[in-house]
Amino acid sequence: MFDDVRAVPKPMKHQTEKDKPVFKERRYNRKRKTKKKVEMYKGVKIPHRKRRGEISKVDYEKALLHYGGGCAETGQTNIEMHHIVFRSQGGRGGFRNLVPLSKEFHTLCHTDRAYADYWREQHKKIFGPHYMKDAYDLWKEGLIHNPTPEAFEKFMQGEQGDA
């Protein structure tokens, strides 16, 4: 019954390589990663502006605490954190540059310039004119001697006292 079935010999390795078509798989051209330029000031590396604009958990909680744990307008707990001075304009992620707003008011901040300016004026009164800056900004401007959190907080506390 199985007499007609013959074992087929395996082709030799060199035969299969010859039978395969010879072509190179094309890959799309990726941009090569270039080393990012590191900003240095007086021998100290300054973090990238994107990282300095991020909101840390500590700053998020401080901003919430400052406004009573909810939206600054309505008190709702469903909030979005708004950068008063946008990151693209040099605003940082510190709690002094943040205000918790409900979705409607957050959208209003991005569409109504007068409403956004209202929050800028409020924070200038409360925290002083440098509310949107971080330690590196103040250091580069010569307002503090070194970009440590202690020097930064001491300067900002003095600004709040003047306002």
Side-chain angles (χ1 to χ4, degrees):
M1 181 169 184
F2 294 105
D3 294 337
D4 295 342
V5 178
R6 296 183 193 162
V8 177
K10 273 186 158 181
M12 297 174 87
K13 189 173 185 179
H14 68 277
Q15 288 179 336
T16 57
E17 289 177 5
K18 286 182 181 178
D19 294 341
K20 288 185 181 177
V22 179
F23 67 93
K24 285 188 176 181
E25 185 178 319
R26 289 190 168 214
R27 295 183 182 177
Y28 59 93
N29 290 334
R30 289 187 209 166
K31 288 185 179 179
R32 292 187 178 185
K33 291 184 180 180
T34 57
K35 289 187 177 181
K36 294 180 182 175
K37 293 182 181 177
V38 177
E39 186 180 356
M40 298 286 286
Y41 183 75
K42 294 185 179 180
V44 176
K45 289 181 186 179
I46 297 180
H48 191 267
R49 66 180 178 84
K50 187 175 181 180
R51 174 159 293 216
R52 292 165 60 196
E54 291 175 352
I55 302 170
S56 70
K57 288 181 181 180
V58 172
D59 288 326
Y60 187 93
E61 293 297 326
K62 281 184 182 178
L64 271 178
L65 184 65
H66 181 75
Y67 284 100
C71 175
E73 290 283 344
T74 62
Q76 292 177 344
T77 56
N78 188 11
I79 56 122
E80 296 175 355
M81 204 53 79
H82 173 66
H83 282 83
I84 295 167
V85 175
F86 302 135
R87 291 176 291 177
S88 62
Q89 297 170 346
R92 305 298 178 213
F95 80 94
R96 293 174 180 90
N97 190 35
L98 300 173
V99 62
L101 296 171
S102 63
K103 184 162 180 66
E104 306 90 49
F105 286 106
H106 189 211
T107 304
L108 185 62
C109 268
H110 288 277
T111 56
D112 184 8
R113 183 68 178 190
Y115 186 67
D117 287 340
Y118 163 77
W119 285 110
R120 288 178 189 229
E121 292 304 316
Q122 290 298 315
H123 276 243
K124 267 187 195 172
K125 288 177 189 173
I126 298 169
F127 299 116
H130 303 288
Y131 68 92
M132 78 293 285
K133 298 177 182 176
D134 68 354
Y136 294 102
D137 292 326
L138 297 178
W139 183 49
K140 286 169 78 174
E141 291 176 14
L143 298 173
I144 58 177
H145 294 293
N146 53 10
T148 61
E150 296 81 19
F152 174 70
E153 283 302 320
K154 184 178 177 184
F155 176 83
M156 294 307 277
Q157 291 296 328
E159 288 290 304
Q160 281 179 256
D162 294 346

